[in-house]
Amino acid sequence: MFGKDEKLEKIKEALAAMDCDMNGFRSWQKQYDKLKKQWKNEEERYRKAHRITMRVETIADRFEEILTSRWGADKAEALQLVKELKQLQNSFDHEFIIGKNDDDFHSTYNAIIRMGAKALEDEQQRILFQSEIENLLQMLRENLVKQPPDAKKLCIYYMYRKDTDLEELSAQEKLVTVENVYQIMFFGPIVELLTYAITQADEKKELLEQGADKRSRKSLESVQFLLDGAQEGLSPKERAKELFQELIEQM
C-alpha cells in the first residue's frame, strides 16, 4: 500500500486526524524505530549461535565415531577436535539454544576439554570420555530441535526484560514469556490506537464525504486507507491487526 517510511507517516497522520492519543503513539514509535534498527542483529545472533552449536554436534559425532571405531583413534585428529571445542567454548551461548548458565551442559563440555585427547590413551579414561561425549550429544540434539524465537518479538522482549528472567523456564515457557511481553508492550498499544482511529473513521465517513471544506477533505484523505477494510466486512480491530501486520512485515 505504501513505502516503508510512508506507511508509518500515513498511520501517524490518520491517528492525528481522528484525535488519537499522539503521546501514546510517539512512545510506541520509539520502540518501532529501535526494533527496525536492531531486529536483524538479534536474528543473526541466534543464527550464529545455532550454526556454532551444530558444529559442536558435528565434532561430538566425530568423537563418537573415533571412540567406537575398531581401528582406534587418530591422535592428531583428536587433538585438533579438542582444540576446536576449546575455541568454540561459550561462543554458542543463547538462551533459546543453550543458555550460558546451563550448568549440566557446560560442566559436560568442560570435562571433555579437560580430559582432552589424552583420555583416548587410557582405557578407564576412554570409557569416562565416551560417556561425556554421549551426554553432550544427547543435550545438543535436545537443544537443537527447540523452536526458534521470532527475532522481532525477542528484540522487543530485550527492551524490557533480560535473559535471567528466562533461565528457569522451559523452552515453551520462554516463547510464551517473550510473546506476552511483545503483546503487552508493543502489539497491544498500537492495535488499540488503530482500532480507535478506524472506528472513528467509520463513524465520520459520511460526514467527511459530505464536507466541502478543506479540513474535511484533508481528514478524509488522511483516513481513506483506514476505511478500505470495511468493504470486506472486517471489524475495526481486525483491520487494525492487518495494518499492524503490514507495518511489521515491511521491515
Side-chain angles (χ1 to χ4, degrees):
M1 191 188 299
F2 307 112
K4 289 187 178 182
D5 294 328
E6 185 184 355
K7 180 181 284 291
L8 188 63
E9 286 305 309
K10 288 293 290 185
I11 287 175
K12 182 179 180 180
E13 187 179 321
L15 294 178
M18 293 296 100
D19 296 320
C20 291
D21 176 11
M22 297 312 291
N23 286 331
F25 175 77
R26 282 187 285 272
S27 178
W28 179 86
Q29 188 177 3
K30 288 178 182 178
Q31 297 177 85
Y32 175 85
D33 291 338
K34 193 173 181 180
L35 175 64
K36 191 159 70 169
K37 291 177 183 177
Q38 296 181 355
W39 81 270
K40 283 285 187 183
N41 292 335
E42 200 58 62
E43 183 177 61
E44 178 53 32
R45 187 174 76 88
Y46 175 84
R47 286 180 177 175
K48 180 182 178 183
H50 194 273
R51 189 166 58 247
I52 295 173
T53 306
M54 288 183 69
R55 176 56 189 163
V56 171
E57 182 189 30
T58 299
I59 294 170
D61 271 329
R62 179 56 189 148
F63 259 125
E64 189 172 52
E65 289 175 1
I66 289 172
L67 289 161
T68 56
S69 171
R70 58 180 293 209
W71 306 109
D74 180 331
K75 187 175 181 180
E77 182 186 7
L79 284 168
Q80 183 58 41
L81 292 174
V82 171
K83 181 180 178 181
E84 188 173 354
L85 284 178
K86 193 169 184 178
Q87 290 171 340
L88 296 176
Q89 192 171 19
N90 301 324
S91 63
F92 45 77
D93 289 346
H94 193 289
E95 200 56 47
F96 284 83
I97 307 174
I98 297 164
K100 65 179 180 180
N101 291 320
D102 185 335
D103 294 335
D104 288 342
F105 182 88
H106 288 290
S107 62
T108 299
Y109 195 98
N110 292 339
I112 290 169
I113 291 175
R114 186 173 61 252
M115 295 170 74
K118 288 184 178 179
L120 303 180
E121 299 172 8
D122 178 86
E123 186 60 29
Q124 188 68 27
Q125 288 295 303
R126 186 186 181 98
I127 293 171
L128 291 173
F129 190 78
Q130 184 171 355
S131 177
E132 296 289 9
I133 289 291
E134 289 171 354
N135 289 339
L136 187 73
L137 273 171
Q138 182 180 347
M139 287 186 281
L140 283 165
R141 288 163 182 163
E142 288 173 356
N143 284 300
L144 281 168
V145 297
K146 288 178 181 176
Q147 182 181 338
D150 182 292
K152 291 173 185 174
K153 293 179 180 181
L154 191 57
C155 191
I156 292 293
Y157 172 85
Y158 284 133
M159 292 181 195
Y160 298 96
R161 307 279 287 276
K162 299 178 181 179
D163 274 340
T164 50
D165 298 314
L166 299 171
E167 286 177 3
E168 302 302 320
L169 304 180
S170 68
Q172 187 57 38
E173 287 171 337
K174 289 176 184 180
L175 291 172
V176 170
T177 299
V178 168
E179 179 68 29
N180 288 341
V181 171
Y182 179 81
Q183 292 285 333
I184 293 169
M185 305 306 297
F186 190 68
F187 174 82
I190 191 62
V191 168
E192 183 178 345
L193 285 171
L194 284 168
T195 300
Y196 177 82
I198 292 169
T199 301
Q200 291 298 302
D202 286 351
E203 292 177 358
K204 296 178 180 180
K205 180 177 181 291
E206 288 187 18
L207 186 63
L208 292 174
E209 288 175 340
Q210 293 169 4
D213 60 291
K214 185 177 179 180
R215 182 176 180 179
S216 293
R217 291 197 303 271
K218 182 172 175 55
S219 293
L220 181 61
E221 182 182 338
S222 296
V223 302
Q224 188 60 58
F225 75 100
L226 297 180
L227 299 167
D228 293 343
Q231 300 169 0
E232 301 169 19
L234 299 176
S235 70
K237 190 165 187 177
E238 288 170 334
R239 285 142 65 191
K241 289 179 179 180
E242 283 197 352
L243 282 171
F244 170 84
Q245 199 58 39
E246 289 174 15
L247 193 63
I248 295 305
E249 288 177 355
Q250 69 169 11
M251 280 188 180

